[in-house]
Amino acid sequence: AQSVTQLDSQVPVFEEAPVELRCNYSSSVSVYLFWYVQYPNQGLQLLLKYLSGSTLVKGINGFEAEFNKSQTSFHLRKPSVHISDTAEYFCAVSDNDYKLSFGAGTTVTVRA
Amino acid sequence: NAGVTQTPKFQVLKTGQSMTLQCAQDMNHEYMSWYRQDPGMGLRLIHYSVGAGITDQGEVPNGYNVSRSTTEDFPLRLLSAAPSQTSVYFCASSYRGGGTGGHEQYFGPGTRLTVT
């Protein structure tokens, strides 16, 4: 069984400042790791994913994440946020393609 | 290419009523799943299907039924609605492909259900 812990439920940040969203997972098998974003009143959209290989993964909209196997973490970062990055962000883990286990989500609010 | 579509967008039910949430995808994906989203709990898997005629339970299946008669459609049925089923419901689909997995799931826009 897998579980995901997102360590921050809310992250307020000023425009053009960096942001880091923390995600830890537990699993007894090799997993695939994902970050999804949900803009207000919309469905989920994939930001990036880690399957294997390089531990630094680049995604859309300037986001990147680093996989750390020893710390079982997959933290998401963006060096400079925009107002349009205001959204809820979900970390998810899976060992197949049809069952995702999600964290509780982190709400990012970007202020001018 | 519409992707994953869900109907209705909003629904209000009275306790004890039944209804079906519709989900369809036009990407010829083998895998389809239903999740519910509740505040502070992320998304939880209700049921999933790995192909037409094959379904299985997820984390929170009680009170819900599914069937998969075609590749495209995966309806979710609420048998007797309860206030605890007030939630936002998302349908998702993904490609099976070959070799290693890790294919992304594509999500529909969601159905917001209120049970009074």
Side-chain angles (χ1 to χ4, degrees):
Chain A
Q2 300 130 12
S3 67
V4 178
T5 302
Q6 291 184 241
L7 297 164
D8 307 289
S9 60
Q10 308 231 3
V11 174
V13 58
F14 286 106
E15 193 174 20
E16 298 184 6
V19 70
E20 178 179 77
L21 308 184
R22 298 178 293 167
C23 172
N24 287 97
Y25 70 94
S26 66
S27 176
S28 58
V29 299
S30 296
V31 294
Y32 309 117
L33 295 158
F34 304 82
W35 275 99
Y36 283 84
V37 60
Q38 184 181 33
Y39 299 106
N41 299 312
Q42 294 188 25
L44 277 72
Q45 178 183 357
L46 182 70
L47 275 179
L48 49 79
K49 63 182 178 182
Y50 173 79
L51 306 183
S52 64
S54 173
T55 57
L56 184 62
V57 180
K58 294 191 182 297
I60 62 171
N61 300 340
F63 284 92
E64 63 181 31
E66 184 153 18
F67 169 63
N68 187 318
K69 187 174 183 178
S70 63
Q71 298 188 2
T72 59
S73 67
F74 191 53
H75 300 336
L76 181 71
R77 302 184 183 95
K78 185 169 182 177
S80 176
V81 296
H82 304 289
I83 298 289
S84 58
D85 292 321
T86 293
E88 190 161 18
Y89 294 80
F90 292 97
C91 182
V93 62
S94 177
D95 62 0
N96 52 50
D97 291 329
Y98 46 87
K99 295 169 67 176
L100 284 171
S101 295
F102 284 88
T106 298
T107 300
V108 173
T109 304
V110 182
R111 298 168 180 162
Chain B
N1 195 337
V4 180
T5 58
Q6 293 183 238
T7 56
K9 288 189 175 181
F10 302 94
Q11 183 70 50
V12 179
L13 290 178
K14 294 185 185 303
T15 297
Q17 288 184 317
S18 62
M19 78 159 295
T20 299
L21 307 185
Q22 300 292 344
C23 174
Q25 53 93 8
D26 61 359
M27 296 173 284
N28 204 31
H29 285 169
E30 294 88 347
Y31 299 149
M32 297 186 75
S33 306
W34 276 102
Y35 297 87
R36 59 176 289 173
Q37 181 181 21
D38 301 292
M41 302 187 74
L43 282 78
R44 293 178 293 168
L45 183 65
I46 304 172
H47 286 285
Y48 64 94
S49 169
V50 299
I54 306 170
T55 64
D56 205 346
Q57 297 180 350
E59 182 184 353
V60 288
N62 292 341
Y64 308 96
N65 271 356
V66 292
S67 60
R68 183 105 179 264
S69 56
T70 67
T71 299
E72 294 77 20
D73 300 298
F74 191 43
L76 178 72
R77 297 181 188 85
L78 279 70
L79 309 173
S80 177
S84 61
Q85 294 179 302
T86 293
S87 187
V88 182
Y89 292 84
F90 288 99
C91 179
S93 72
S94 60
Y95 172 63
R96 183 174 72 185
T100 59
H103 301 289
E104 75 171 279
Q105 291 198 7
Y106 292 81
F107 285 81
T111 294
R112 188 173 297 271
L113 175 69
T114 302
V115 183
T116 61

